[in-house]
Amino acid sequence: MNRVLPASHEATRRHIRLYVERSVMRRLPSAFVVLLLGALLTVSAAAQQGKLNTTYTVAVANTQASLFHVTTEVRDLSQPGLEVSLPVWTPGWYTVENYAKNILRFKVTDANSGARVPFSWTHKQTWNISTVGRSAIKIEFDYRADVLALNQAKINQDFAFFTGTQLFLRLAGHTSEESTVRFQVPENWRILSALKETADQLVFTAPDYDTLVDSTTEMGNFDVETFEVAGKPHYFAATPAGAFSTEKRLKFVEMLKKVARTESAIFYNNQPFDKYVYFYFFMPPESNAGGALEHANSHVAFAPPGDAATPEGLIETAAHEFFHLWNVKRLRPADMMPYDYSREQETTFLWISEGFTNYYANVTMMRAGFRSRRDFLNRVAGAALGVESNEARAYISPAASSVSTWLGYDTPRAFEISYYTQGENLGALLDLSIRHDTNGAVGLDDLMRLLYRTTYERGRGFTGQDIIDALRILTRRDYVDFLSRYASGVEVPDYARIFAYAGYGFEFGVIKRARLGITARPTPEGLRVTGVAAASPAETAGLRSGDVITRIDDSDVLRLDTFDDRIGQIIALTVIRDNRQLELPLTIGSRDERTFSLIEVEKPTRAQLQVREAWLKQGV
Ligand SMILES: [Zn+2]
């Protein structure tokens, strides 16, 4: 309920403006218009409450205790009260984290007199501050930043990292106003932020609240490579310093340039940012929020420490995250436009926002020359197999799995089948269908472009109707049936027919893969076991959830996916359980895995070759 007030004020303001412009101005005598306008402007000014002058100061206050000290100074106040709140989630990472739980010593003072200002805590992340007769207030708190993760803030001896959602208070009714951010950091620490720079190296700005909180910042000691793509500056940051060698960094930068050019070309070379920042951590995350996360003009990624990190191993993730610049950061489901930071914000379209992004990472890898056509096709086949070999596909549609993500990334039920794989599969099938409808002239690129123009560039999010309309414009065909069967429904697509559009048949096969029955996630101490499958080799070996694997045989390279050629052999797991070290011998089991490959038909028709060439075209 707290959220409703500012929104309705904004709606009233818009309504008044339209009313004045459209109906009143033309007809009434001018003196009356002046009178009426005067009255309306009074109402409008009260609703608008005057622009505020807001400065956030982020101080790295204590590297031992991992504390930020955050000050929000609000000036030019002319309203009786101010509602401030902290987001409960970070866009892109769809779980509620309640950042307010990290706040300590919240207090409000008059910025002029220093007197304490009363406030009430009205919602778990919301405070109402009385500002009657005050023109300036200062809100201060300490923020415990002790988890290195994509959606958390962290301070240690070497660096500090945060995303705006964790530290910046939202001032109700003032979310479209500019703000200033000042940093206070230990001596010799550098600052790299996605926020807009100023002449002062410690001061940055944001044009509005959405931009402010979707910006990531790192301070401390880390390596940075600066480069340009199409006249725009890009910064690649590698933490800790020295973790990713200069040689690897330079090679990776060349690959990132190709990704940026390839993907911008899909959106008519529109690059919707002034600068772009890549934050890469070569160390394990300290929660389940590992992997990578997109922001308005940056992304953050975790990479393996040591020699395991290679430019070739990281580039597909970068291609995925960079594509989000357009798909989800701008071209976004209407359900998430604008972002509501106070609660879950479900949409049935993550299969487009994430799944198509996965598909485009594969497309980009091929177009940029990092992956052969054959490997591209294998990946397409892999997505189809991933969906079709999962029994949950029969009762969880791509639309449904999109919604279920909010149940938590650790919840097996919600992640029985993933909108990433489902959407990646549908991306390929839709691409082929569109190309078939148009003899190769038009493809999924055109759909993304058209949706971008007709929705994002007109200031709104997309709906199912927008997709149907855009597809009708591009193909002159009705895709309602396609979408209701395969996206909101659980029907098995007619793979034979659709892959035949490009002259491919498909073949199922079976291969033997190693089976351990362990799910685990990397932690600084080792691989933390999060699950042991029933009747599995791991269960027989006596492994338990919560164990931390520190060595496999005599190696500290802790990978569980490299045992396909050791089926039937015994490996020795060294684990820590309740502060004790155990040795557990485990006999590697096996399981049959279905394979699915795309095979060229013997005599493709001209039409099939036309679609194939358009689909597999390389280069920008
Ligand atoms: Zn993504």
Side-chain angles (χ1 to χ4, degrees), residues 78-96:
S78 58
Q79 56 189 75
L82 180 65
E83 181 196 281
V84 304
S85 58
L86 203 62
V88 303
W89 66 290
T90 300
W93 198 268
Y94 304 107
T95 53
V96 169

Side-chain angles (χ1 to χ4, degrees), residues 294 320-321 324 354 357 420:
E294 71 281 2
H320 174 109
E321 301 307 328
H324 274 314
E354 287 299 344
T357 303
Y420 283 84

Side-chain angles (χ1 to χ4, degrees), residues 156-305:
N156 65 21
Q157 304 288 3
D158 299 318
F159 66 87
F161 171 77
F162 74 94
T163 305
T165 42
Q166 291 127 25
L167 302 188
F168 297 133
L169 289 168
R170 178 181 185 276
L171 313 182
H174 300 279
T175 53
S176 54
E177 296 169 17
E178 195 192 26
S179 60
T180 302
V181 179
R182 291 177 175 278
F183 291 104
Q184 292 172 5
V185 296
E187 225 175 297
N188 299 325
W189 276 29
R190 71 196 304 172
I191 302 173
L192 182 62
S193 178
L195 290 162
K196 190 172 164 45
E197 288 140 33
T198 68
D200 185 335
Q201 289 185 355
L202 296 171
V203 180
F204 294 75
T205 60
D208 52 52
Y209 188 73
D210 283 328
T211 310
L212 178 74
V213 295
D214 206 13
S215 299
T216 37
T217 299
E218 188 179 5
M219 299 152 267
N221 301 308
F222 45 89
D223 295 319
V224 179
E225 296 295 335
T226 307
F227 57 101
E228 263 193 23
V229 184
K232 300 272 179 89
H234 290 233
Y235 303 86
F236 171 74
T239 308
F244 201 48
S245 70
T246 310
E247 193 191 339
K248 284 180 178 178
R249 290 204 301 275
L250 294 178
K251 177 154 195 208
F252 194 47
V253 158
E254 288 311 308
M255 296 174 96
L256 290 174
K257 286 182 188 171
K258 284 187 185 166
V259 165
R261 287 193 200 103
T262 305
E263 294 185 345
S264 309
I266 297 168
F267 295 91
Y268 44 92
N269 292 314
N270 155 295
Q271 294 191 78
F273 54 85
D274 295 325
K275 66 170 174 188
Y276 193 88
V277 192
Y278 312 76
F279 294 96
Y280 277 59
F281 290 96
F282 295 83
M283 54 181 82
E286 294 170 346
S287 86
N288 70 342
L293 182 61
E294 71 281 2
H295 296 286
N297 62 326
S298 64
H299 74 252
V300 188
F302 281 95

Side-chain angles (χ1 to χ4, degrees), residues 472-518:
R472 189 177 291 122
I473 290 168
L474 294 172
T475 67
R476 302 209 174 110
R477 255 195 63 201
D478 187 350
Y479 269 79
V480 172
D481 193 53
F482 184 102
L483 295 172
S484 52
R485 280 168 194 258
Y486 310 137
S488 41
V490 292
E491 263 188 52
V492 176
D494 188 348
Y495 290 105
R497 180 170 54 84
I498 297 173
F499 285 125
Y501 292 157
Y504 291 101
F506 66 94
E507 268 179 23
F508 279 107
V510 174
I511 53 165
K512 278 228 181 298
R513 302 289 301 270
R515 175 167 189 253
L516 277 64
I518 303 171

Side-chain angles (χ1 to χ4, degrees), residues 71-74 107-112 117 136-140:
T71 308
T72 310
E73 191 167 311
V74 185
K107 72 168 183 180
V108 188
T109 50
D110 187 306
N112 297 320
V117 173
I137 57 165
K138 210 169 169 186
I139 309 161
E140 291 173 80

